[in-house]
Structures are given as structure tokens and as C-alpha cells.
Amino acid sequence: LATGPRQNNSIFYEIRTYDIKPSKTKEFVEMINKYIHLRTAHSELVGFWSAELGAMNKMVHIWKYDDFAHRTAVRHALANDKDWQGKFISQALSLIKKQHNEVAYLVPWCQLGKPPKDGGVYEWVTFQMKPGGPALWGDAFQAAINAHINTGYTKLIGAFHTEYGLLNTVHVIWWNESPDHRAAGRHSAHEDARVVAAVRDSVRFLYSQQNMLLIPLQCSPLK
């Protein structure tokens, strides 16, 4: 069922989600900001966020890899990095309740973007699509995404579809100046006939969706 175009290279993104013990969230954030340089010495961090709305005590981070051999080499190097293991891993594991990861590709028509300025908030929207991949839902989904972009109230950062994890999942990351700016923009978008028509067309391929409002950590490349 996985058919259709994909990017012309082997680059993929590992999306890691950690549920932190409620009493330990502040400590975990402080440790990440202090020691993340030990981790980023091995591979590229795209972004690191803390959930503000839609989830609690949850951290989301994205790592970029050239291919699966690259990830294997990085994981091997991390396991043998005494500073990373001793200063961070040995202490952080007791703060984490649960870990989850996915491997995802950018959808074929999307390039990873950046916000126009530092600050603001990120909306992480997860869509569970019907099986078939971008070849099935790509055009309609792209039209719905573009309809929101064209309203001008939001900035698309990236759209990813899963290769490992819960399949037929699409994660879309948006940037907005503030939660209130997002709310006002979405209110206007929902009254825009072009947005309404595009969304109605795309939901033919949709099972469910959910979202989170994320705040970037100090260490996050995407601020």
C-alpha cells in the first residue's frame, strides 16, 4: 500500500517523544539545556520542544540522519561516549516515564522550513490517514495545507509521514507568533471558502487528528 513519490535522497528524521515524571520536568529541561551539546556533537538536532497544551510533561525532539547506516553509527558512538552516558543518560533515565520514537520522511512536496523570527509557538498536528501514502492522499492534503498557508497567519515548518511507528501517520509542524495569533488566524481561515473547500476534500482520506502546542527549549535550533 505504500506507493508514490518520495524525496530523492535517503535523509530521514527520527521523532522522539518522552513523557517526563511530573515532578521532574523542570530538572529534565535543565539537564537537556546543559548537556545537549554532548548529543549534538554526534548528529543534527532539528528541534526540541516541551508541550504546553494538548499534552502535559511531554518532550518532543527531532533528529536528522543521512541514512540508516548513519543512525547506526551515531547510536554506537553515543553508547561509547562516556561524557554523554555519565553526565546525562545515567541521571536522565530516572526522570523519564516513557519513551517513543518514529522514523519519518518529509512528504515529497515539503522542504524543512524555519520561523521568520525567534520566539513564538509551534503547533504539532498529527493526522492518521487512510493507507496508501502520499500517492493516495498527497494532492488533497497538500491543497489543504497550502490553503492555510495562503491565509498568511501561519508558517509551515515541516510535514512528515511515518516509515516506522504507527504507519499512515502525518505530522505537520506550524509556527505562530503566539497562541492568540493562531486562534485569530484559524477563526479567519474557517470562514475562508477556499480553506473550507480544500479541507473538506482532504478529510476523505482522514481517520483522526490531534494536536499539541509546543514551546521550544533554550537549546532548540528551531526557536
Side-chain angles (χ1 to χ4, degrees), residues 67-123:
D67 52 31
F68 288 98
H70 179 210
R71 181 183 183 276
T72 298
V74 168
R75 301 303 297 175
H76 182 267
L78 287 169
N80 290 281
D81 185 327
K82 293 182 179 180
D83 281 344
W84 175 246
Q85 294 295 328
K87 294 179 180 179
F88 181 77
I89 294 296
S90 62
Q91 301 179 61
L93 289 179
S94 64
L95 312 180
I96 300 171
K97 291 174 58 180
K98 184 171 63 174
Q99 296 174 298
H100 175 74
N101 76 336
E102 297 170 292
V103 165
Y105 294 97
L106 285 168
V107 296
W109 42 266
C110 179
Q111 298 294 319
L112 194 63
K114 293 183 178 180
K117 59 183 179 181
D118 288 349
V121 296
Y122 291 78
E123 183 183 10

Side-chain angles (χ1 to χ4, degrees), residues 8-130:
N8 294 322
N9 56 53
S10 58
I11 291 173
F12 68 86
Y13 299 84
E14 182 177 6
I15 301 168
R16 298 179 71 92
T17 305
Y18 294 171
D19 289 335
I20 310 299
K21 295 177 181 178
S23 63
K24 301 296 184 179
T25 299
K26 182 175 182 293
E27 183 179 349
F28 182 85
V29 170
E30 290 174 347
M31 287 184 61
I32 281 290
N33 285 327
K34 183 176 181 180
Y35 293 118
I36 194 65
H37 67 281
L38 299 174
R39 175 62 183 82
T40 55
H42 294 277
S43 65
E44 180 181 347
L45 173 64
V46 174
F48 209 124
W49 301 269
S50 174
E52 179 72 11
L53 296 173
M56 298 180 69
N57 307 301
K58 189 181 292 292
M59 303 288 164
V60 181
H61 41 125
I62 303 176
W63 299 87
K64 181 180 179 181
Y65 293 101
D66 297 334
D67 52 31
F68 288 98
H70 179 210
R71 181 183 183 276
T72 298
V74 168
R75 301 303 297 175
H76 182 267
L78 287 169
N80 290 281
D81 185 327
K82 293 182 179 180
D83 281 344
W84 175 246
Q85 294 295 328
K87 294 179 180 179
F88 181 77
I89 294 296
S90 62
Q91 301 179 61
L93 289 179
S94 64
L95 312 180
I96 300 171
K97 291 174 58 180
K98 184 171 63 174
Q99 296 174 298
H100 175 74
N101 76 336
E102 297 170 292
V103 165
Y105 294 97
L106 285 168
V107 296
W109 42 266
C110 179
Q111 298 294 319
L112 194 63
K114 293 183 178 180
K117 59 183 179 181
D118 288 349
V121 296
Y122 291 78
E123 183 183 10
W124 183 287
V125 190
T126 299
F127 300 89
Q128 190 61 35
M129 310 298 290
K130 293 182 179 180

